Amino acid sequence: MTEPPLKRRIGLGLLTAYGVGVMVGAGIYVLVGAVAADAGIWAPLAFVVAGLIAAPTALSYAEFSTRLPEAAGEAAYVGTGLNSRALALLVGLAVVSAGTISAGAVLRGGVGYLTGIVAIDPVWAMVGLGVALMLVAVAGVLESLALAAVFTAIELGGLMLVIWAGLGAEASPDWVMPVAPVWSGIGLGGILAFFAFIGFEDIVNMAEEVEDPERTLPRAILISLVITSLLYGLVALAAVRAVPLDQLGGSRSPLALVWQTARGGDAAFLSAIAVFAALNGILAQIVMAARVLYGLGGRYPALGRFHHAHPRFGTPVLATVLVGAAVILCALYVQLETLAGTTSSILLAVFALVNAALIVQKRREPEARFRVPMAVPVVGLVLSLAALAVALKGMT
């Protein structure tokens, strides 16, 4: 009996909104201060550098997405390019694990913001929100991405308010452009800011639910990366213009500090927006990880039970429920600080493998609907390994 396929219901607009939402997430609410501590007044340039670091790998994903438009994403790329089923399975399970752990950490953090606004038991909040988002993911991919687009619009609205406040504020005493950029600080800030761009890779796992994936996937990856780079650069510019660098670098809530400095008040609305950012990240990771499990089920008989789309909803229900339950359990019971820190390292290792796989695949089969020069995956491989080394050093 042939299994019903996933339903192709997603166009360029929703897919791009999904990519922007995954990348923006809640990280920008914290990272601006840390990047400013390294790069100083050149923090906006550090975010541009981070976008350039991410770009080669994003382009590698874009080419592979036209070669192998499958839900298994990275697992399919690595398995085909490096001709290793075992490595492909390892990569696929690593991506599922990283997405689940990340979503669990974000769920706990989002509930932390929520309990600061509403008097609610955090355990029940984590369970309730986790189950609600899991049910949305089960109901349909169009419904999931439409809700994610609403969350993304709320996130972007909050960031635009911060940009407006910071650029319109009286300039900080530190707002004096030095004669030349301090490239060491910009480089360190750029490596740190790179982690704010992680998320573009989730786009490729929607391949089997996208209309005309060979055309839509690469465009969504590149457009979302450009939008996010511009947004981050403007947020960083507003922050370093409005707030003295020592205060900005030492703040755990740098964007709230920008608002308070520029406009006064307690910036409580940013905490509410951070809740929506968390919900967006959780929903996106549940959807993504379930698609990877679905794709792995089509490649490995032992996981075959996950390669099933509900005939009515058109979603991988069993995979979605499993991932959603794991996210809730991670948020409730696992000490996530160390585990959450490993997710970036896992993904950087996957980035390196995808770039290596594309190098081999391009030598084997040069033709593709969307092609990048061979230098792109080579540079992506080098940059991913360099970022991985920095990330591992930071964990020791």
Side-chain angles (χ1 to χ4, degrees), residues 6 8 72 91 108 118 155 159 205 294 308 316 323-324 333 344:
L6 299 173
R8 295 193 182 277
V91 166
R108 177 178 288 184
V118 180
E155 289 179 65
L159 294 179
N205 297 303
Y294 173 89
H308 175 73
V323 171
Y333 298 115
S344 293

Side-chain angles (χ1 to χ4, degrees), residues 111-172:
V111 167
Y113 280 110
L114 181 63
T115 54
I117 304 170
V118 180
I120 187 172
D121 181 88
V123 172
W124 284 110
M126 281 186 268
V127 173
L129 289 175
V131 170
L133 293 171
M134 180 178 67
L135 292 177
V136 172
V138 166
V141 68
L142 183 61
E143 292 77 5
S144 299
L145 267 63
L147 182 59
V150 172
F151 290 156
T152 299
I154 294 171
E155 289 179 65
L156 298 185
L159 294 179
M160 293 304 293
L161 285 173
V162 171
I163 293 169
W164 168 74
L167 295 182
E170 183 179 348
S172 158

Side-chain angles (χ1 to χ4, degrees), residues 24-42:
V24 171
I28 188 64
Y29 286 83
V30 180
L31 271 177
V32 168
V35 172
D38 285 330
I41 206 168
W42 294 99

Side-chain angles (χ1 to χ4, degrees), residues 19-280:
V20 172
V22 174
M23 280 192 278
V24 171
I28 188 64
Y29 286 83
V30 180
L31 271 177
V32 168
V35 172
D38 285 330
I41 206 168
W42 294 99
L45 182 57
F47 276 99
V48 173
V49 169
L52 294 175
I53 293 174
T57 297
L59 287 167
S60 293
Y61 270 77
E63 177 169 333
F64 248 140
S65 72
T66 65
R67 291 175 176 268
L68 295 167
E70 297 184 27
E74 297 95 327
Y77 305 162
V78 172
T80 301
L82 300 181
N83 196 27
S84 172
R85 285 177 56 81
L87 188 57
L89 178 60
L90 179 63
V91 166
L93 294 177
V95 170
V96 172
S97 299
T100 302
I101 293 168
S102 173
V106 172
L107 177 55
R108 177 178 288 184
V111 167
Y113 280 110
L114 181 63
T115 54
I117 304 170
V118 180
I120 187 172
D121 181 88
V123 172
W124 284 110
M126 281 186 268
V127 173
L129 289 175
V131 170
L133 293 171
M134 180 178 67
L135 292 177
V136 172
V138 166
V141 68
L142 183 61
E143 292 77 5
S144 299
L145 267 63
L147 182 59
V150 172
F151 290 156
T152 299
I154 294 171
E155 289 179 65
L156 298 185
L159 294 179
M160 293 304 293
L161 285 173
V162 171
I163 293 169
W164 168 74
L167 295 182
E170 183 179 348
S172 158
D174 293 334
W175 183 243
V176 179
M177 198 65 66
V179 175
V182 182
W183 289 107
S184 59
I186 293 171
L188 289 173
I191 291 293
L192 180 59
F194 170 80
F195 297 107
F197 288 88
I198 288 178
F200 64 82
E201 72 283 357
D202 289 359
I203 294 173
V204 301
N205 297 303
M206 308 305 298
E208 294 181 42
E209 293 157 288
V210 172
E211 300 165 355
D212 191 9
E214 290 89 349
R215 175 178 171 83
T216 304
L217 288 170
R219 292 171 69 194
I221 291 170
L222 299 179
I223 292 171
S224 59
L225 185 65
V226 170
I227 290 172
T228 307
S229 300
L230 292 173
L231 187 66
Y232 285 169
L234 288 172
V235 170
L237 179 63
V240 298
R241 183 187 184 282
V243 182
L245 293 175
D246 58 340
Q247 296 179 31
L248 187 65
S251 175
R252 297 182 63 181
S253 304
L255 298 194
L257 181 60
V258 173
W259 182 266
Q260 290 164 343
T261 302
R263 308 297 300 178
D266 60 4
F269 75 96
L270 287 175
S271 294
I273 291 173
V275 173
F276 286 106
L279 295 176
N280 200 2

